[in-house]
């Protein structure tokens, strides 16, 4: 009976010890040792007591077999999956915040205007959203255009400590980039989450922003919206796509990883490293990429290796941010908001940018999805360039209250 009790209680005790260690010390070695110790104690100690009572080795043999089977079965949790491909060689900035980020610059044709453009990608963690046409157009209009992969995404290195993935760090990194460029003021072009980041920066540093463009923006202040109210890419998946997405993480390793994410993301990071989970995230986005377009299945998003931990932890941190809207109402910075016909973000999320920032203009782009630069690259580039150069907008501003797509 003692041997049977140990065989039944040992594996749950090992699991509890593994997860309990994760809550205290997010080290894979410590978690494994704690689990093995609990498994051995739970199975072998009762068997040792039984062996002494009956003066036979059978209980110890049975308990040892239980331990071996449990260790062999749990080994699947520690076998890594496929990893992301090596990143390309890029130029890097080592910022005063401690972040190291990859960047690309498209130089102005001819004499450069005094105020550079900084593009902010979406996600968080998903650079490479098809804006090369915009960079070329702005370069032709005399702007130096900088695009950088935010901390932990794209070609930027992944930090060892995932606790650095916060909105505050992103704002600080952007300010460090501005200082690195030696520009008193910059122009910000932010897409999706990048628009949210641009708004956060504008609320904090309005004197350093000359103009700002919000492209298919995410929520201005996330705590105001639930996922259902704000709109999610996953809502547009076909049943087949949803099944493929669901199947990506259906194994014991990711079941344990998901539990660790809830306990301490550092422990989850110790079990499943960046390269593995970034590859999985990339596969997920490739399946779902068409849902960001007006042409389902006709676009892939993103082009670079995305950063999963950056995505998850910055998104979670957004829920605790102070409201930036009072500061934005006093910003006094020219702003353009681009709304796409097929954007999965709810219309009120976009409209709030126009209604919050004084003088902001909103332009509606037909035939485009959330990634406007992919679906309508020429119109997108022409509209942004016109706004930044002070030329008449090729598309008229929309001043209505109702969703223009519903008219």
């Amino acid at each position: 009976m003692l041997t049977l009790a140990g065989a039944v209680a040992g594996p749950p005790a090992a699991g509890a010890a593994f997860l309990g260690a994760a809550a205290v010390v997010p080290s894979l070695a410590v978690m494994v040792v704690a689990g093995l110790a609990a498994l051995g104690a739970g199975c072998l100690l009762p068997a040792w007591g039984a062996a002494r009572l009956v003066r036979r080795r059978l209980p110890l043999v049975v308990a040892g077999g239980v331990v071996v089977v449990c260790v062999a079965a749990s080994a699947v949790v520690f076998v890594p999956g496929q990893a992301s491909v090596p990143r390309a060689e890029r130029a890097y900035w080592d910022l005063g915040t401690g972040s190291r980020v990859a960047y690309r610059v498209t130089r102005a044709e001819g004499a450069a205007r005094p105020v550079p453009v900084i593009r902010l990608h979406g996600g968080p963690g998903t650079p490479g959203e098809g804006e090369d046409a915009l960079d070329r157009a702005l370069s032709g209009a005399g702007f130096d255009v900088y695009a950088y992969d935010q901390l932990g995404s794209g070609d930027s290195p992944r930090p060892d400590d995932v606790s650095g993935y916060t909105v505050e760090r992103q704002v600080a990194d952007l300010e460090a980039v501005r200082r690195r460029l030696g520009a008193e003021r910059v122009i910000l072009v932010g897409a999706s989450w990048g628009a949210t980041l641009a708004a956060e920066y504008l609320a904090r540093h309005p004197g350093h922003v000359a103009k700002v463009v919000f492209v298919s923006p995410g929520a201005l202040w996330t705590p105001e919206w639930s996922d259902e109210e704000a709109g999610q890419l996953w809502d547009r998946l076909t049943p087949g796509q949803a099944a493929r997405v669901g199947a990506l993480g259906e194994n014991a390793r990711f079941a344990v990883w998901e539990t660790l994410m809830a306990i301490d993301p550092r422990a989850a990071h110790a079990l499943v490293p960046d390269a593995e989970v970034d590859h999985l995230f990339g596969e997920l986005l490739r399946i779902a990429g068409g849902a960001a377009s007006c042409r389902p299945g006709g676009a892939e998003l993103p082009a670079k290796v995305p950063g999963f931990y950056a995505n998850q932890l910055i998104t979670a941190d957004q829920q605790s941010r102070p409201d930036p809207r009072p500061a934005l109402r006093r910003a006094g910075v020219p702003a353009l908001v681009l709304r796409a016909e097929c954007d999965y973000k709810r219309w009120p999320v976009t409209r709030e940018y126009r209604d919050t920032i004084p003088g902001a203009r909103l332009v509606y782009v037909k035939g485009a999805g959330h990634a406007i630069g992919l679906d309508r690259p020429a119109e997108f580039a022409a509209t942004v360039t016109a706004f930044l150069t002070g030329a008449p907008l090729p598309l008229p501003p929309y001043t209505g209250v109702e969703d223009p797509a519903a008219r």
Side-chain angles (χ1 to χ4, degrees):
M1 290 298 294
L2 285 173
T3 302
L4 179 60
V8 173
F18 180 87
L19 298 177
V24 178
V25 182
S27 163
L28 184 59
V30 172
M31 291 186 286
V32 170
V33 169
L36 290 175
L39 179 63
C43 290
L44 295 177
L45 286 181
W48 180 77
R52 293 201 56 173
L53 286 175
V54 301
R55 298 181 181 277
R56 294 182 181 178
R57 295 182 181 177
L58 181 60
L60 282 174
V61 173
V62 172
V66 170
V67 171
V68 171
V69 170
C70 288
V71 170
S74 63
V76 299
V77 173
F78 305 105
V79 177
Q82 189 172 350
S84 57
V85 297
R87 298 176 182 86
E89 290 296 325
R90 295 287 300 278
Y92 290 89
W93 283 319
D94 290 303
L95 305 177
T97 58
S99 298
R100 190 166 199 255
V101 298
Y103 74 95
R104 183 186 72 184
V105 57
T106 304
R107 295 293 182 186
E109 296 179 6
R113 295 173 185 259
V115 181
V117 174
I118 301 177
R119 283 205 293 103
L120 304 172
H121 65 73
T126 59
E129 291 159 340
E131 293 176 344
D132 290 343
L134 175 62
D135 291 353
R136 290 193 297 270
L138 293 179
S139 170
F143 292 100
D144 285 335
V145 184
Y146 294 87
Y148 70 95
D149 296 347
Q150 295 157 25
L151 177 68
S153 61
D155 294 329
S156 294
R158 283 22 175 189
D160 294 331
D161 185 0
V162 296
S163 63
Y165 290 128
T166 64
V167 177
E168 190 66 27
R169 177 70 167 270
Q170 296 293 318
V171 173
D173 282 352
L174 178 51
E175 170 62 2
V177 168
R178 181 196 67 80
R179 291 175 178 271
R180 184 69 179 255
L181 297 179
E184 181 61 27
R185 296 195 303 164
V186 295
I187 295 167
L188 300 180
V189 179
S192 193
W193 141 257
T196 304
L197 174 56
E200 289 276 358
Y201 182 86
L202 178 60
R204 181 72 64 84
H205 303 286
H208 292 313
V209 181
K211 291 184 177 182
V212 59
V213 180
F214 304 106
V215 184
S216 302
L220 191 56
W221 186 49
T222 303
E224 184 180 39
W225 305 91
S226 67
D227 286 348
E228 290 74 20
E229 291 171 331
Q232 291 292 307
L233 180 66
W234 323 119
D235 297 340
R236 293 192 172 187
L237 299 183
T238 66
Q241 288 174 325
R244 290 172 63 197
V245 167
L248 286 175
E250 287 185 349
N251 57 57
R253 179 173 173 79
F254 281 97
V256 173
W257 169 84
E258 190 171 16
T259 303
L260 291 175
M261 280 291 287
I263 295 173
D264 188 335
R266 293 175 300 173
H269 184 248
L271 177 65
V272 181
D274 293 288
E276 181 181 352
V277 76
D278 287 354
H279 173 80
L280 188 71
F281 190 30
E283 289 299 307
L284 183 151
L285 290 173
R286 273 184 279 278
I287 294 170
S293 169
C294 264
R295 300 172 288 112
E300 289 193 355
L301 184 74
K304 297 181 182 177
V305 176
F308 183 81
Y309 286 108
N311 177 273
Q312 294 295 290
L313 298 180
I314 294 172
T315 298
D317 184 63
Q318 286 182 266
Q319 294 296 330
S320 60
R321 293 291 297 172
D323 189 347
R325 293 173 297 183
L328 291 173
R329 294 188 182 102
R330 304 187 299 268
V333 172
L336 176 68
V337 185
L338 295 179
R339 170 71 183 184
E341 178 183 6
C342 303
D343 196 354
Y344 63 83
K345 294 295 183 184
R346 304 287 188 254
W347 160 245
V349 172
T350 306
R351 188 185 66 196
E352 187 173 36
Y353 281 78
R354 182 199 65 186
D355 297 346
T356 298
I357 300 173
R361 289 180 284 175
L362 187 151
V363 169
Y364 178 65
V365 184
K366 293 184 178 180
H370 187 69
I372 299 177
L374 287 176
D375 283 345
R376 288 289 184 268
E379 293 174 53
F380 174 59
T383 303
V384 174
T385 303
F387 172 71
L388 296 187
T389 58
L393 296 178
L395 299 172
Y398 179 75
T399 59
V401 175
E402 301 300 321
D403 185 351
R407 293 187 307 164

